[in-house]
């Protein structure tokens, strides 16, 4: 049995007839939070959506192994059932469905059933109690949207959480709340995470291991997250991966 929860092998992905990702190799161990860096438009969200198996993201080569099983051709619903969950970069507004209803759905509860005290505890921690009867994300601020998204994701009890820029458009207070709950969940359950970020702040709250850089359709460098972040800040993405190509070790 592989020691990786997620093992992506030689993956190429096409969207609307264009190859966006080429020959991606990424192995995320059990119980590790992994970071994915890359400039805007490099394909980070595409990679997360391909892992979820959204229909417009067509795998043209390679495979995705999750928890020892080949999920490359499985529908999204099956992947969610197996324990993969995503928090979107831009959580959509959903009119006509209340936040409490989606929380019940995540928990497989019937509409007439109530949530458990532990669920209200999480809702209160993320300051969402007064939003429960509002339409999902409609009129929510950036931070409120991300907080609602994180609660939905955690209620599904995933083994792998995919976080697409959880820190973008979020104030420092919301970011702290979100990060604390994510770290608590990861510590308690031993799950893994793949976190896309441009900001260093989240690395101060969530214990991360390795990171990689997505540039020119493929992944480079598999080193310590804080080291890579500092290098990108200092010299930019392109120089950051040059360093690896020259065989200079950033940090092992
Ligand atoms: P990132 O998240 O790294 O900023 P994305 O994965 O969103 O990048 O996008 C990568 C590239 O794929 C971009 O050039 C984007 O325009 C293109 N792309 C993403 N989704 C679609 C789509 N549904 N249709 C056409 N092109 C897309
Ligand atoms: Mg993106």
């Amino acid at each position: 049995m592989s020691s990786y929860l997620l093992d992506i092998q030689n993956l190429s992905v096409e969207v609307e007839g264009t190859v966006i990702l080429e020959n991606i190799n990424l192995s995320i161990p059990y119980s590790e939070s992994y970071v994915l860096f890359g400039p805007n438009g490099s394909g980070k969200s595409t990679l997360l959506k391909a892992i979820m198996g959204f229909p417009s993201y067509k795998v043209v080569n390679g495979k995705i192994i999750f928890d020892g099983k080949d999920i490359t051709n499985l529908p999204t619903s099956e992947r969610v059932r197996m324990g993969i969950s995503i928090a979107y970069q831009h959580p959509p507004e959903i009119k006509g469905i209340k936040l409490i209803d989606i929380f019940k759905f995540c928990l497989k509860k019937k509409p007439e059933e109530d949530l458990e005290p532990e669920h209200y505890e999480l809702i209160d921690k993320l300051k969402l109690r007064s939003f429960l009867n509002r339409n999902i994300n409609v009129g929510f601020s950036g931070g409120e949207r991300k907080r609602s998204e994180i609660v939905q994701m955690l209620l599904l009890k995933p083994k792998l959480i995919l976080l697409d820029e959880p820190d973008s458009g979020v104030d420092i207070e919301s970011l702290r709340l979100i990060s604390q709950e994510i770290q608590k969940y990861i510590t308690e359950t031993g799950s893994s995470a793949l976190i896309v970020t441009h900001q260093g702040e989240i690395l101060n709250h969530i214990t991360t291991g390795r990171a990689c850089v997505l540039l020119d359709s493929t992944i480079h460098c598999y080193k310590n997250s804080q080291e890579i972040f500092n290098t990108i800040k200092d010299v930019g993405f392109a120089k950051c991966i040059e360093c690896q190509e020259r065989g200079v070790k950033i940090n092992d």
Side-chain angles (χ1 to χ4, degrees):
M1 174 97 175
S2 157
S3 58
Y4 298 113
L5 176 61
L6 184 74
D7 198 5
I8 299 177
Q9 301 169 3
N10 307 317
L11 189 77
S12 297
V13 175
E14 201 179 271
V15 184
E16 310 269 334
T18 308
V19 175
I20 307 288
L21 302 173
E22 259 189 301
N23 204 25
I24 300 280
N25 286 288
L26 176 63
S27 306
I28 302 182
Y30 286 88
S31 307
E32 181 166 328
S33 297
Y34 213 105
V35 184
L36 175 61
F37 295 113
N40 291 327
S42 59
K44 303 178 298 297
S45 297
T46 301
L47 178 58
L48 299 196
K49 289 173 184 170
I51 296 169
M52 290 307 301
F54 293 147
S56 347
Y57 298 79
K58 196 170 158 226
V59 172
V60 289
N61 192 37
K63 53 186 175 179
I64 306 174
I65 310 290
F66 176 71
D67 213 4
K69 294 177 200 77
D70 187 341
I71 61 164
T72 318
N73 298 310
L74 290 185
T76 303
S77 55
E78 192 57 36
R79 301 183 197 207
V80 173
R81 262 194 291 277
M82 288 174 73
I84 310 179
S85 185
I86 186 168
Y88 292 103
Q89 182 175 355
H90 305 290
E93 292 188 350
I94 305 174
K95 293 200 176 96
I97 304 178
K98 291 176 183 167
L99 194 58
I100 183 83
D101 297 328
I102 191 83
F103 289 168
K104 287 180 182 176
F105 180 79
C106 292
L107 290 160
K108 299 194 185 71
K109 283 192 175 286
K110 298 195 185 90
E112 62 276 16
E113 286 180 300
D114 199 0
L115 308 186
E116 308 300 326
E118 71 198 75
H119 306 135
Y120 282 114
E121 203 180 300
L122 177 64
I123 289 163
D124 285 340
K125 275 196 193 147
L126 290 182
K127 302 194 191 319
L128 287 169
R129 179 79 78 139
S130 60
F131 293 76
L132 290 177
N133 287 311
R134 283 176 55 174
N135 285 331
I136 300 166
N137 297 337
V138 177
F140 285 26
S141 72
E144 290 158 1
R145 254 174 214 242
K146 294 281 186 176
R147 278 162 20 220
S148 109
E149 185 75 358
I150 297 299
V151 172
Q152 290 168 54
M153 189 188 67
L154 295 183
L155 292 179
L156 288 166
K157 296 249 178 277
K159 290 180 190 162
L160 174 67
I161 56 183
L162 307 175
L163 296 163
D164 200 350
E165 300 196 24
D167 44 7
S168 73
V170 171
D171 64 85
I172 203 93
E173 170 80 11
S174 288
L175 180 60
R176 192 175 47 79
L177 290 173
I178 287 171
S179 312
Q180 278 172 349
E181 284 315 305
I182 292 169
Q183 182 60 50
K184 182 165 171 276
Y185 177 80
I186 288 171
T187 309
E188 284 174 3
T189 59
S191 13
S192 298
L194 179 56
I195 306 169
V196 173
T197 181
H198 293 291
Q199 328 286 335
E201 182 60 21
I202 199 162
L203 305 180
N204 297 330
H205 301 287
I206 297 181
T207 310
T208 55
R210 267 157 289 192
C212 54
V213 181
L214 184 51
L215 192 66
D216 301 331
S217 311
T218 198
I219 285 185
H220 311 260
C221 201
Y222 303 86
K223 299 278 165 66
N224 172 281
S225 57
Q226 192 65 57
E227 293 275 347
I228 293 189
F229 180 68
N230 290 338
T231 310
I232 291 168
K233 250 194 333 193
D234 290 348
V235 298
F237 292 104
K239 280 264 182 292
C240 179
I241 63 162
E242 257 179 40
C243 161
Q244 188 223 8
E245 282 163 3
R246 285 200 312 271
V248 177
K249 288 203 166 183
I250 294 175
N251 190 12
D252 249 327

